[in-house]
Amino acid sequence: MDLHIINTGNFKLDGGAMFGVVPKSLWERTNPADERNMCTWTMRCLLIEDGDRLILIDNGIGNKQDAKFFSHYYLHGDNSLDGSLKAAGFDRSDITDMFLTHLHFDHCGGGVDYVGENKEKLALHFPNAQYWSNQDHWEWATKPNEREKASFLKENILPIQESGQLNFIGLNESSPFDQFDIATFDGHTDKQMLPKIKYKDKTIVFMADLLPSVGHIPLPYVMGYDTRPLITLKEKGTFLEEAADNEYILFLEHDAVNECCTVKRTDRGVRLDRTFSLREIL
């Protein structure tokens, strides 16, 4: 089994929103903000190559939205979804499985495109892939609450079901993938799925929005975007203790600087152990 980082680009989000009740004087030590209080984040996806399967975990923000939408997020950098796939030696038509941790626009927007001469139709970006979500989260995303409504964009989601290529993972059943187990979390959004990848003698956990960056390791550092912050506190605390005890490698989807990290127990709770690139363990 081989792993490939698929960088889909960078964007910016308000630092206060990303760190909730934590004061700027604390969070800016790890995530400095610009003059507009915006911090840079990346959309770092992961491609698993195993035999005849190419499994992509998340796919970034895509390019469907209009200029007004993108003006809020300051997209920048030279990386793109298709460019990173090409650099890894693949084409979008090669992807066999598109695994979606959850359906917020910065995680699934690259999975659907506008097509046609006037871009009047929507089609899957990965034409030969099976797309994977779970029934509970799909219901949550397609009948959104007012708080999350702006993050669940119907043009990113509904075409997947209409294509006939949508599959639901049974959360009380064993993983349909030999390459990883799946853990679910409800604090950020309902039934977010994190792959726990079995790689050689290691466990690599794709952290999605349970842990956006190393700056979010201390328990109170919870995003204002989380729908159930107290549940995030509990989930993150339990998971980080498990990660420290089992020496998990945490793959960071949004950290603009650090690809991977490990954590350790200290007298102040679980804290950062070390950071490193994915290549260092391959």
Side-chain angles (χ1 to χ4, degrees):
M1 182 169 72
D2 293 318
L3 303 177
H4 308 272
I5 288 179
I6 304 299
N7 286 309
T8 68
N10 299 327
F11 68 140
K12 292 189 176 186
L13 294 171
D14 182 83
M18 284 298 289
F19 288 97
V21 299
V22 177
K24 182 179 180 180
S25 59
L26 296 179
W27 60 252
E28 69 177 350
R29 296 173 186 174
T30 55
N31 296 82
D34 65 16
E35 67 280 359
R36 298 180 298 275
N37 208 50
M38 306 290 280
C39 300
T40 293
W41 309 93
T42 196
M43 291 170 284
R44 180 183 296 115
C45 307
L46 188 64
L47 181 65
I48 301 174
E49 179 187 4
D50 191 20
D52 59 358
R53 294 188 85 168
L54 276 176
I55 307 165
L56 181 61
I57 304 173
D58 284 354
N59 56 50
I61 202 168
N63 56 15
K64 291 190 300 304
Q65 310 309 319
D66 60 22
K68 181 179 180 181
F69 177 90
F70 286 125
S71 71
H72 299 304
Y73 300 105
Y74 306 92
L75 269 63
H76 60 285
D78 297 326
N79 294 312
S80 67
L81 174 58
D82 286 349
S84 293
L85 285 171
K86 183 178 180 180
F90 303 106
D91 181 81
R92 62 192 180 97
S93 63
D94 297 325
I95 302 301
T96 62
D97 299 273
M98 182 64 253
F99 181 94
L100 300 165
T101 62
H102 61 297
L103 295 167
H104 287 167
F105 63 79
D106 56 316
H107 294 258
C108 73
V112 176
D113 298 325
Y114 278 119
V115 296
E117 189 172 324
N118 298 311
K119 295 186 176 181
E120 71 279 8
K121 298 180 181 179
L122 289 162
L124 299 191
H125 189 72
F126 305 103
N128 300 317
Q130 296 298 307
Y131 283 56
W132 297 87
S133 183
N134 67 75
Q135 182 77 58
D136 289 354
H137 183 67
W138 187 267
E139 291 293 319
W140 184 267
T142 55
K143 300 172 185 176
N145 60 76
E146 289 299 321
R147 176 109 183 271
E148 271 183 293
K149 192 173 183 179
S151 293
F152 292 127
L153 306 181
K154 61 183 180 180
E155 60 268 32
N156 287 337
I157 300 172
L158 298 183
I160 302 173
Q161 188 172 47
E162 292 165 0
S163 73
Q165 291 166 236
L166 173 64
N167 300 269
F168 289 136
I169 294 169
L171 299 181
N172 296 318
E173 302 170 4
S174 58
S175 171
F177 298 94
D178 295 333
Q179 297 79 9
F180 54 83
D181 295 324
I182 298 166
T184 59
F185 299 87
D186 296 317
H188 178 62
T189 188
D190 199 60
K191 297 300 180 290
Q192 177 183 204
M193 299 189 294
L194 304 192
K196 301 172 73 173
I197 302 160
K198 310 158 192 172
Y199 183 76
K200 298 180 180 177
D201 60 343
K202 304 175 179 67
T203 297
I204 302 172
V205 185
F206 188 95
M207 293 309 299
D209 281 342
L210 179 64
L211 191 76
S213 73
V214 297
H216 289 85
I217 292 173
L219 290 185
Y221 289 58
V222 171
M223 290 190 291
Y225 297 111
D226 286 13
T227 58
R228 306 175 179 120
L230 294 179
I231 291 179
T232 295
L233 277 170
K234 183 177 180 180
E235 290 177 336
K236 188 170 74 167
T238 299
F239 173 82
L240 288 177
E241 289 179 357
E242 177 186 337
D245 293 343
N246 292 282
E247 299 181 344
Y248 290 167
I249 293 167
L250 309 184
F251 182 90
L252 303 168
E253 185 168 10
H254 287 314
D255 194 310
V257 176
N258 305 293
E259 291 178 0
C260 301
C261 74
T262 54
V263 293
K264 61 184 178 182
R265 289 181 183 264
T266 74
D267 56 5
R268 297 182 298 120
V270 176
R271 290 292 185 269
L272 177 67
D273 180 20
R274 65 187 185 95
T275 60
F276 46 92
S277 68
L278 182 65
R279 181 174 297 178
E280 291 179 55
I281 64 170
L282 297 182

